[in-house]
Short mmCIF file of all heavy atoms in Angstrom, two decimals:
data_model
loop_
_atom_site.label_atom_id
_atom_site.label_comp_id
_atom_site.label_asym_id
_atom_site.label_seq_id
_atom_site.Cartn_x
_atom_site.Cartn_y
_atom_site.Cartn_z
N SER M 1 70.89 66.58 164.14
CA SER M 1 71.88 66.36 165.18
C SER M 1 71.97 67.58 166.10
O SER M 1 71.71 68.71 165.71
CB SER M 1 73.26 66.09 164.55
OG SER M 1 73.74 67.24 163.91
N ILE M 2 72.38 67.30 167.33
CA ILE M 2 72.56 68.38 168.31
C ILE M 2 73.68 69.30 167.87
O ILE M 2 73.61 70.52 168.05
CB ILE M 2 72.87 67.76 169.69
CG1 ILE M 2 71.66 66.98 170.19
CG2 ILE M 2 73.25 68.84 170.69
CD1 ILE M 2 71.90 66.28 171.50
N ARG M 3 74.75 68.72 167.29
CA ARG M 3 75.88 69.54 166.85
C ARG M 3 75.44 70.57 165.81
O ARG M 3 75.81 71.74 165.89
CB ARG M 3 76.97 68.63 166.29
CG ARG M 3 78.20 69.39 165.84
CD ARG M 3 79.33 68.45 165.50
NE ARG M 3 78.97 67.53 164.45
CZ ARG M 3 79.73 66.52 164.05
NH1 ARG M 3 80.87 66.30 164.65
NH2 ARG M 3 79.35 65.73 163.08
N ALA M 4 74.63 70.14 164.82
CA ALA M 4 74.17 71.07 163.78
C ALA M 4 73.30 72.16 164.38
O ALA M 4 73.45 73.35 164.04
CB ALA M 4 73.41 70.30 162.70
N ARG M 5 72.41 71.76 165.28
CA ARG M 5 71.55 72.77 165.90
C ARG M 5 72.36 73.74 166.76
O ARG M 5 72.08 74.94 166.81
CB ARG M 5 70.48 72.09 166.74
CG ARG M 5 69.34 71.51 165.89
CD ARG M 5 68.26 70.93 166.75
NE ARG M 5 68.67 69.65 167.29
CZ ARG M 5 67.96 68.95 168.16
NH1 ARG M 5 66.83 69.44 168.62
NH2 ARG M 5 68.38 67.79 168.59
N LEU M 6 73.38 73.21 167.45
CA LEU M 6 74.22 74.07 168.28
C LEU M 6 74.96 75.09 167.41
O LEU M 6 75.03 76.28 167.74
CB LEU M 6 75.22 73.21 169.06
CG LEU M 6 76.16 73.94 170.02
CD1 LEU M 6 75.38 74.62 171.12
CD2 LEU M 6 77.18 72.98 170.60
N ILE M 7 75.51 74.62 166.28
CA ILE M 7 76.22 75.53 165.36
C ILE M 7 75.27 76.59 164.82
O ILE M 7 75.59 77.79 164.80
CB ILE M 7 76.86 74.72 164.21
CG1 ILE M 7 77.97 73.82 164.75
CG2 ILE M 7 77.41 75.65 163.14
CD1 ILE M 7 78.52 72.86 163.73
N LEU M 8 74.07 76.17 164.39
CA LEU M 8 73.11 77.12 163.82
C LEU M 8 72.66 78.14 164.86
O LEU M 8 72.56 79.34 164.57
CB LEU M 8 71.90 76.35 163.27
CG LEU M 8 72.17 75.52 162.00
CD1 LEU M 8 70.93 74.73 161.63
CD2 LEU M 8 72.59 76.42 160.84
N ILE M 9 72.40 77.68 166.07
CA ILE M 9 71.91 78.59 167.12
C ILE M 9 72.97 79.62 167.47
O ILE M 9 72.71 80.83 167.51
CB ILE M 9 71.48 77.79 168.36
CG1 ILE M 9 70.20 76.99 168.06
CG2 ILE M 9 71.24 78.73 169.54
CD1 ILE M 9 69.82 76.03 169.16
N LEU M 10 74.20 79.15 167.72
CA LEU M 10 75.25 80.08 168.12
C LEU M 10 75.64 81.00 166.98
O LEU M 10 75.91 82.20 167.19
CB LEU M 10 76.48 79.30 168.60
CG LEU M 10 76.27 78.51 169.90
CD1 LEU M 10 77.54 77.76 170.28
CD2 LEU M 10 75.86 79.42 171.04
N THR M 11 75.67 80.48 165.74
CA THR M 11 75.94 81.35 164.59
C THR M 11 74.83 82.38 164.44
O THR M 11 75.09 83.56 164.13
CB THR M 11 76.05 80.50 163.31
OG1 THR M 11 77.07 79.51 163.48
CG2 THR M 11 76.40 81.37 162.11
N GLY M 12 73.59 81.97 164.66
CA GLY M 12 72.47 82.91 164.61
C GLY M 12 72.60 84.00 165.65
O GLY M 12 72.32 85.18 165.38
N PHE M 13 73.06 83.63 166.85
CA PHE M 13 73.27 84.63 167.89
C PHE M 13 74.32 85.65 167.46
O PHE M 13 74.18 86.86 167.70
CB PHE M 13 73.71 83.96 169.20
CG PHE M 13 72.56 83.49 170.04
CD1 PHE M 13 72.50 82.18 170.48
CD2 PHE M 13 71.53 84.35 170.41
CE1 PHE M 13 71.43 81.73 171.26
CE2 PHE M 13 70.48 83.92 171.19
CZ PHE M 13 70.42 82.61 171.60
N ILE M 14 75.41 85.15 166.85
CA ILE M 14 76.47 86.06 166.39
C ILE M 14 75.92 87.02 165.34
O ILE M 14 76.17 88.24 165.38
CB ILE M 14 77.66 85.27 165.85
CG1 ILE M 14 78.32 84.46 166.98
CG2 ILE M 14 78.68 86.19 165.19
CD1 ILE M 14 79.40 83.51 166.51
N VAL M 15 75.16 86.48 164.36
CA VAL M 15 74.58 87.31 163.30
C VAL M 15 73.65 88.36 163.89
O VAL M 15 73.68 89.55 163.53
CB VAL M 15 73.86 86.44 162.26
CG1 VAL M 15 73.07 87.30 161.28
CG2 VAL M 15 74.84 85.56 161.52
N VAL M 16 72.80 87.92 164.83
CA VAL M 16 71.87 88.87 165.45
C VAL M 16 72.63 89.95 166.22
O VAL M 16 72.29 91.14 166.15
CB VAL M 16 70.90 88.11 166.39
CG1 VAL M 16 70.09 89.08 167.24
CG2 VAL M 16 69.96 87.23 165.58
N PHE M 17 73.69 89.53 166.94
CA PHE M 17 74.46 90.49 167.71
C PHE M 17 75.10 91.54 166.80
O PHE M 17 75.05 92.74 167.07
CB PHE M 17 75.54 89.76 168.51
CG PHE M 17 76.50 90.67 169.22
CD1 PHE M 17 76.13 91.30 170.40
CD2 PHE M 17 77.77 90.91 168.71
CE1 PHE M 17 77.01 92.16 171.05
CE2 PHE M 17 78.65 91.75 169.35
CZ PHE M 17 78.27 92.38 170.52
N VAL M 18 75.72 91.08 165.70
CA VAL M 18 76.35 92.01 164.77
C VAL M 18 75.31 92.92 164.13
O VAL M 18 75.51 94.14 163.99
CB VAL M 18 77.13 91.23 163.69
CG1 VAL M 18 77.65 92.18 162.60
CG2 VAL M 18 78.30 90.47 164.32
N SER M 19 74.16 92.37 163.75
CA SER M 19 73.10 93.18 163.12
C SER M 19 72.56 94.23 164.07
O SER M 19 72.35 95.39 163.69
CB SER M 19 71.97 92.26 162.65
OG SER M 19 72.44 91.31 161.71
N VAL M 20 72.33 93.84 165.31
CA VAL M 20 71.83 94.80 166.30
C VAL M 20 72.86 95.90 166.53
O VAL M 20 72.52 97.09 166.66
CB VAL M 20 71.50 94.07 167.62
CG1 VAL M 20 71.23 95.06 168.75
CG2 VAL M 20 70.28 93.17 167.43
N ASN M 21 74.14 95.52 166.58
CA ASN M 21 75.19 96.51 166.78
C ASN M 21 75.22 97.51 165.62
O ASN M 21 75.35 98.74 165.84
CB ASN M 21 76.53 95.79 166.91
CG ASN M 21 77.59 96.68 167.55
OD1 ASN M 21 77.26 97.70 168.14
ND2 ASN M 21 78.85 96.29 167.43
N MET M 22 75.07 97.00 164.38
CA MET M 22 75.06 97.89 163.23
C MET M 22 73.82 98.80 163.26
O MET M 22 73.89 99.99 162.94
CB MET M 22 75.10 97.08 161.94
CG MET M 22 76.41 96.34 161.73
SD MET M 22 76.40 95.29 160.26
CE MET M 22 76.23 96.53 158.97
N PHE M 23 72.70 98.27 163.62
CA PHE M 23 71.46 99.04 163.73
C PHE M 23 71.62 100.16 164.75
O PHE M 23 71.22 101.31 164.53
CB PHE M 23 70.31 98.12 164.10
CG PHE M 23 69.01 98.83 164.34
CD1 PHE M 23 68.19 99.19 163.28
CD2 PHE M 23 68.61 99.15 165.64
CE1 PHE M 23 67.00 99.85 163.51
CE2 PHE M 23 67.42 99.80 165.87
CZ PHE M 23 66.60 100.15 164.80
N MET M 24 72.21 99.82 165.90
CA MET M 24 72.41 100.82 166.93
C MET M 24 73.37 101.91 166.46
O MET M 24 73.19 103.10 166.75
CB MET M 24 72.98 100.15 168.19
CG MET M 24 72.03 99.15 168.84
SD MET M 24 70.53 99.91 169.49
CE MET M 24 71.19 100.84 170.86
N ASN M 25 74.42 101.50 165.70
CA ASN M 25 75.35 102.49 165.17
C ASN M 25 74.64 103.47 164.23
O ASN M 25 74.84 104.69 164.29
CB ASN M 25 76.48 101.79 164.42
CG ASN M 25 77.53 101.25 165.37
OD1 ASN M 25 77.48 101.51 166.57
ND2 ASN M 25 78.46 100.48 164.84
N ILE M 26 73.80 102.92 163.34
CA ILE M 26 73.14 103.74 162.33
C ILE M 26 72.15 104.72 162.95
O ILE M 26 72.12 105.91 162.61
CB ILE M 26 72.44 102.84 161.29
CG1 ILE M 26 73.49 102.05 160.49
CG2 ILE M 26 71.57 103.68 160.35
CD1 ILE M 26 72.88 100.99 159.59
N PHE M 27 71.36 104.25 163.89
CA PHE M 27 70.24 105.06 164.39
C PHE M 27 70.52 105.77 165.72
O PHE M 27 69.81 106.72 166.06
CB PHE M 27 68.99 104.19 164.53
CG PHE M 27 68.44 103.71 163.22
CD1 PHE M 27 68.73 102.44 162.75
CD2 PHE M 27 67.66 104.55 162.43
CE1 PHE M 27 68.23 101.99 161.53
CE2 PHE M 27 67.16 104.11 161.22
CZ PHE M 27 67.44 102.82 160.77
N PHE M 28 71.51 105.33 166.46
CA PHE M 28 71.69 105.90 167.80
C PHE M 28 73.09 106.42 168.07
O PHE M 28 73.30 107.14 169.05
CB PHE M 28 71.34 104.86 168.88
CG PHE M 28 69.91 104.42 168.84
CD1 PHE M 28 69.56 103.20 168.27
CD2 PHE M 28 68.91 105.22 169.36
CE1 PHE M 28 68.25 102.79 168.22
CE2 PHE M 28 67.59 104.81 169.32
CZ PHE M 28 67.25 103.60 168.74
N LEU M 29 74.06 106.02 167.25
CA LEU M 29 75.42 106.44 167.55
C LEU M 29 75.59 107.96 167.48
O LEU M 29 76.23 108.58 168.34
CB LEU M 29 76.41 105.75 166.60
CG LEU M 29 77.89 106.06 166.84
CD1 LEU M 29 78.28 105.63 168.26
CD2 LEU M 29 78.76 105.34 165.81
N GLU M 30 75.01 108.61 166.45
CA GLU M 30 75.13 110.06 166.30
C GLU M 30 74.48 110.77 167.47
O GLU M 30 75.05 111.73 168.03
CB GLU M 30 74.49 110.50 164.99
CG GLU M 30 74.64 112.00 164.72
CD GLU M 30 74.04 112.40 163.39
OE1 GLU M 30 73.63 111.50 162.63
OE2 GLU M 30 73.96 113.61 163.13
N ARG M 31 73.30 110.30 167.87
CA ARG M 31 72.63 110.92 169.03
C ARG M 31 73.45 110.74 170.31
O ARG M 31 73.57 111.67 171.12
CB ARG M 31 71.25 110.31 169.22
CG ARG M 31 70.30 110.54 168.04
CD ARG M 31 68.97 109.88 168.30
NE ARG M 31 68.09 110.01 167.13
CZ ARG M 31 66.87 109.48 167.07
NH1 ARG M 31 66.39 108.82 168.12
NH2 ARG M 31 66.14 109.62 165.97
N TYR M 32 73.97 109.55 170.44
CA TYR M 32 74.76 109.29 171.65
C TYR M 32 76.03 110.14 171.65
O TYR M 32 76.44 110.68 172.68
CB TYR M 32 75.12 107.80 171.72
CG TYR M 32 75.93 107.42 172.93
CD1 TYR M 32 75.33 107.35 174.18
CD2 TYR M 32 77.30 107.17 172.84
CE1 TYR M 32 76.06 107.02 175.30
CE2 TYR M 32 78.04 106.84 173.95
CZ TYR M 32 77.42 106.77 175.19
OH TYR M 32 78.14 106.45 176.30
N TYR M 33 76.64 110.25 170.48
CA TYR M 33 77.85 111.07 170.38
C TYR M 33 77.54 112.54 170.70
O TYR M 33 78.30 113.21 171.41
CB TYR M 33 78.42 110.96 168.96
CG TYR M 33 79.73 111.67 168.78
CD1 TYR M 33 80.92 111.13 169.20
CD2 TYR M 33 79.75 112.93 168.16
CE1 TYR M 33 82.12 111.79 169.02
CE2 TYR M 33 80.96 113.61 167.98
CZ TYR M 33 82.13 113.04 168.42
OH TYR M 33 83.32 113.71 168.24
N THR M 34 76.42 113.05 170.19
CA THR M 34 76.00 114.42 170.49
C THR M 34 75.77 114.60 171.98
O THR M 34 76.19 115.61 172.59
CB THR M 34 74.71 114.76 169.73
OG1 THR M 34 74.94 114.59 168.33
CG2 THR M 34 74.27 116.19 170.00
N TYR M 35 75.10 113.63 172.58
CA TYR M 35 74.85 113.69 174.02
C TYR M 35 76.17 113.72 174.80
O TYR M 35 76.34 114.51 175.74
CB TYR M 35 74.01 112.48 174.44
CG TYR M 35 73.90 112.30 175.93
CD1 TYR M 35 73.01 113.07 176.68
CD2 TYR M 35 74.69 111.36 176.59
CE1 TYR M 35 72.93 112.91 178.05
CE2 TYR M 35 74.61 111.19 177.96
CZ TYR M 35 73.72 111.97 178.69
OH TYR M 35 73.64 111.81 180.04
N GLN M 36 77.13 112.86 174.38
CA GLN M 36 78.41 112.81 175.08
C GLN M 36 79.18 114.12 174.91
O GLN M 36 79.81 114.62 175.86
CB GLN M 36 79.25 111.64 174.55
CG GLN M 36 78.75 110.27 175.00
CD GLN M 36 78.96 110.07 176.50
OE1 GLN M 36 78.21 110.58 177.33
NE2 GLN M 36 79.99 109.33 176.84
N LYS M 37 79.13 114.70 173.70
CA LYS M 37 79.80 115.98 173.48
C LYS M 37 79.18 117.10 174.34
O LYS M 37 79.88 117.97 174.85
CB LYS M 37 79.74 116.36 172.01
CG LYS M 37 80.76 115.63 171.15
CD LYS M 37 82.18 115.99 171.57
CE LYS M 37 83.24 115.30 170.73
NZ LYS M 37 84.60 115.65 171.15
N LYS M 38 77.87 117.06 174.43
CA LYS M 38 77.19 118.04 175.29
C LYS M 38 77.70 117.91 176.73
O LYS M 38 77.98 118.91 177.41
CB LYS M 38 75.68 117.85 175.24
CG LYS M 38 75.05 118.31 173.94
CD LYS M 38 73.62 117.78 173.80
CE LYS M 38 72.76 118.22 174.96
NZ LYS M 38 71.35 117.74 174.78
N GLU M 39 77.82 116.68 177.21
CA GLU M 39 78.28 116.46 178.57
C GLU M 39 79.73 116.91 178.73
O GLU M 39 80.12 117.43 179.78
CB GLU M 39 78.13 114.97 178.93
CG GLU M 39 76.70 114.48 178.99
CD GLU M 39 75.88 115.24 180.01
OE1 GLU M 39 76.37 115.42 181.15
OE2 GLU M 39 74.76 115.67 179.68
N VAL M 40 80.53 116.68 177.68
CA VAL M 40 81.93 117.11 177.76
C VAL M 40 82.00 118.63 177.88
O VAL M 40 82.77 119.18 178.70
CB VAL M 40 82.70 116.61 176.51
CG1 VAL M 40 84.07 117.29 176.42
CG2 VAL M 40 82.88 115.10 176.58
N LEU M 41 81.25 119.36 177.05
CA LEU M 41 81.25 120.82 177.12
C LEU M 41 80.79 121.30 178.48
O LEU M 41 81.36 122.26 179.05
CB LEU M 41 80.36 121.40 176.02
CG LEU M 41 80.82 121.14 174.57
CD1 LEU M 41 79.87 121.80 173.57
CD2 LEU M 41 82.24 121.63 174.34
N LYS M 42 79.74 120.66 179.02
CA LYS M 42 79.26 121.04 180.36
C LYS M 42 80.36 120.83 181.40
O LYS M 42 80.60 121.69 182.27
CB LYS M 42 78.05 120.20 180.74
CG LYS M 42 76.79 120.49 179.95
CD LYS M 42 75.69 119.54 180.42
CE LYS M 42 74.43 119.68 179.56
NZ LYS M 42 73.39 118.73 179.98
N ASP M 43 81.03 119.66 181.33
CA ASP M 43 82.06 119.34 182.32
C ASP M 43 83.23 120.33 182.23
O ASP M 43 83.79 120.74 183.27
CB ASP M 43 82.56 117.91 182.11
CG ASP M 43 81.50 116.87 182.46
OD1 ASP M 43 80.55 117.22 183.19
OD2 ASP M 43 81.63 115.71 182.00
N ILE M 44 83.63 120.70 181.01
CA ILE M 44 84.74 121.64 180.86
C ILE M 44 84.36 123.00 181.45
O ILE M 44 85.15 123.61 182.20
CB ILE M 44 85.12 121.78 179.38
CG1 ILE M 44 85.74 120.47 178.87
CG2 ILE M 44 86.11 122.93 179.19
CD1 ILE M 44 86.02 120.48 177.38
#
C-alpha cells in the first residue's frame, strides 16, 4: 500500500536525519566548537 510505503519512507528519513546529526556531533562538533572559540578570541 501507498500508506505503508509513505510511513516507511518518512520514518527512514527521520532515522537518517537523526543518525547524520549524531555522526556530525561525534566527528565534527569538537572541531567546530574549537573553530568558533578561536573566532571568539579573535573578535574580543
Side-chain angles (χ1 to χ4, degrees):
S1 68
I2 294 177
R3 182 171 59 187
R5 283 184 284 175
L6 182 63
I7 293 172
L8 290 175
I9 290 172
L10 293 179
T11 303
F13 274 127
I14 294 173
V15 171
V16 170
F17 173 78
V18 173
S19 300
V20 169
N21 198 15
M22 293 176 64
F23 175 82
M24 296 295 291
N25 281 352
I26 294 172
F27 293 98
F28 297 101
L29 182 60
E30 183 178 353
R31 298 179 185 178
Y32 180 74
Y33 185 79
T34 302
Y35 170 79
Q36 287 291 78
K37 281 296 181 181
K38 287 166 58 178
E39 294 301 313
V40 168
L41 296 182
K42 291 179 186 177
D43 291 341
I44 292 175

